[in-house]
Amino acid sequence: MSITPVPRVAVVVVAAGSGMRLAAGAPKAFVGIDGHPILWHALSRVFAAPTAQVVVVAPSDRQGDALSEVLAVAGDRRDLVSVVAGGATRQASVAAGLAALWADVELVLVHDAARALTPPEVFQRVIAALEEGAVGAVPVLPVIDTIKRVSGHEILAGVDRSELAAAQTPQGFRRDVLDAAYAASTEDFTDDAALVAAAGHAVAAVTGHPLAFKITTAADLERA
Ligand code: C5P
């Protein structure tokens, strides 16, 4: 009987942001929803999806707290987890997470802890796209609002919203492609898909989920 090898999947959960816009008095990943920090909620969904390794990127002074949360969620899969210190930008934090990946990891999903309610099915869709051969895959949702291009207080033009989509996480990539794109990057990007696209790769879109919204403001926290 032949066994199809399952690609080794790692999830890098970036949780090293300061949460300035949330203004909740703690780094965002450690602000609570229903008795558990945002990081705990994000990790409980990460562990519900198929994963080989989970790297949590935390503020350097909160690595112990991050380890407590990840161990609380990991159960008997505690050997899969590690916590590393983040950097000054999201991109630097992702790079710190990538540096901690095991040698045999083939597919990497990068996920914002702030998208704490992202359902496991979104992870599965991204992994499935990669297993079907995509170099990168990003969950997207249609843009609901009418979008305008503006300059100060002047509306310059409308933008055809059918061509637009809002990008979410987890964003998944072949590990070799993501490592090379990070090594080559000299600019700061707001997401990994932009960095990989700048390196010349096509990135696939998969269906995102309304619950994968990013908790950024106090109103988002209330909604979560
Ligand atoms: O700041 P932003 O909302 O784009 O953050 C998205 C995600 O990136 C959050 O989960 C945040 O914790 C993480 N991040 C990070 N290191 C930074 C900035 C943001 O890990 N320096």
Side-chain angles (χ1 to χ4, degrees):
M1 188 176 76
S2 74
I3 298 172
T4 312
V6 178
R8 306 272 290 169
V9 180
V11 184
V12 173
V13 180
V14 283
S18 61
M20 295 267 282
R21 285 165 295 181
L22 198 56
K28 179 155 71 182
F30 297 94
V31 174
I33 308 171
D34 274 355
H36 287 291
I38 282 175
L39 179 60
W40 183 95
H41 288 280
L43 290 170
S44 64
R45 282 129 182 115
V46 167
F47 277 96
T51 353
Q53 186 187 9
V54 177
V55 179
V56 178
V57 186
S60 56
D61 60 347
R62 300 301 289 264
Q63 290 181 81
D65 297 329
L67 188 62
S68 305
E69 296 306 328
V70 69
L71 291 180
V73 177
D76 61 4
R77 290 189 286 168
R78 50 172 46 217
D79 291 348
L80 303 183
V81 305
S82 49
V83 174
V84 299
T89 61
R90 184 186 182 281
Q91 196 164 316
S93 293
V94 175
L98 295 181
L101 293 180
W102 295 330
D104 61 353
V105 165
E106 294 168 291
L107 304 177
V108 185
L109 272 54
V110 182
H111 185 45
D112 292 338
R115 297 182 189 276
L117 306 183
T118 305
E121 67 182 74
V122 182
F123 290 79
Q124 276 152 5
R125 281 200 281 273
V126 171
I127 293 169
L130 297 174
E131 285 177 341
E132 284 160 19
V135 160
V138 171
V140 301
L141 280 187
V143 173
I144 298 162
D145 293 315
T146 295
I147 305 290
K148 304 288 186 200
R149 186 167 286 120
V150 297
S151 171
H153 293 294
E154 192 188 347
I155 291 177
L156 300 179
V159 180
D160 180 3
R161 125 185 122 178
S162 68
E163 286 184 2
L164 300 178
Q168 302 181 323
T169 74
Q171 299 189 352
F173 305 92
R174 249 172 48 199
R175 191 257 184 95
D176 56 342
V177 167
L178 190 59
D179 275 348
Y182 262 84
S185 177
T186 51
E187 275 176 77
D188 200 47
F189 295 95
T190 52
D191 76 351
D192 306 290
L195 187 146
V196 167
H201 299 283
V203 177
V206 302
T207 304
H209 199 289
L211 285 175
F213 70 97
K214 186 165 69 173
I215 301 169
T216 305
T217 63
D220 297 330
L221 190 62
E222 192 58 35
R223 179 181 167 202

